[in-house]
Amino acid sequence: QVQLVESGGGLVQAGGSLRLSCAASGRTFSNYAMGWFRQAPGKEREAISWSGGSIWYADSVKGRFTISRDNAKNTVDLQMNSLKSEDTAVYYCAADRAWRALADIMPAYWGQGTQVTVSS
């Protein structure tokens, strides 16, 4: 059974940093694209970064967020710096064999989400 479990969310002041981590289990994910999404209240879920052959970032986080993965440990992290109030959202980890599925926000596997709240 595939599971993605996020951790590291919390409350942080604007300008601060958080590091999210996603631990995957149930299979080897080295050949999978893995990424991060977020959904703010009243808004649609959006892709913010993925790693699958190449690395992609949404313009809204480029230069502030960094994705990294450890295929040996089946983990993917998201280092978030210079956080802004508009980064407040539930953050989700996701995985799929094809990066296109992440781009289309239709990955095969989702985590349960972790709340990030940035106070101004």
Side-chain angles (χ1 to χ4, degrees):
Q1 182 180 357
V2 173
Q3 274 193 316
L4 303 177
V5 179
E6 303 96 336
S7 61
L11 174 64
V12 64
Q13 288 188 332
S17 299
L18 279 176
R19 188 177 184 89
L20 304 182
S21 185
C22 173
S25 61
R27 63 185 59 195
T28 301
F29 283 85
S30 58
N31 293 326
Y32 279 64
M34 298 186 75
W36 289 92
F37 297 74
R38 68 186 181 188
Q39 187 165 19
K43 294 188 177 181
E44 294 185 352
R45 191 169 298 189
E46 62 173 345
I48 54 175
S49 182
W50 67 70
S51 172
S54 60
I55 290 177
W56 174 88
Y57 295 99
D59 287 343
S60 59
V61 306
K62 200 172 294 183
R64 300 188 298 122
F65 291 10
T66 303
I67 191 171
S68 60
R69 60 190 294 174
D70 186 333
N71 288 332
K73 296 181 178 180
N74 265 1
T75 59
V76 59
D77 291 352
L78 186 69
Q79 177 66 41
M80 306 186 295
N81 298 329
S82 302
L83 283 162
K84 307 174 182 179
S85 57
E86 52 262 44
D87 294 319
T88 295
V90 178
Y91 283 69
Y92 297 90
C93 174
D96 197 283
R97 286 189 177 275
W99 68 265
R100 174 60 68 181
L102 272 67
D104 291 339
I105 315 184
M106 296 179 64
Y109 306 108
W110 289 104
Q112 83 288 351
T114 186
Q115 177 71 46
V116 172
T117 302
V118 183
S119 63
S120 56

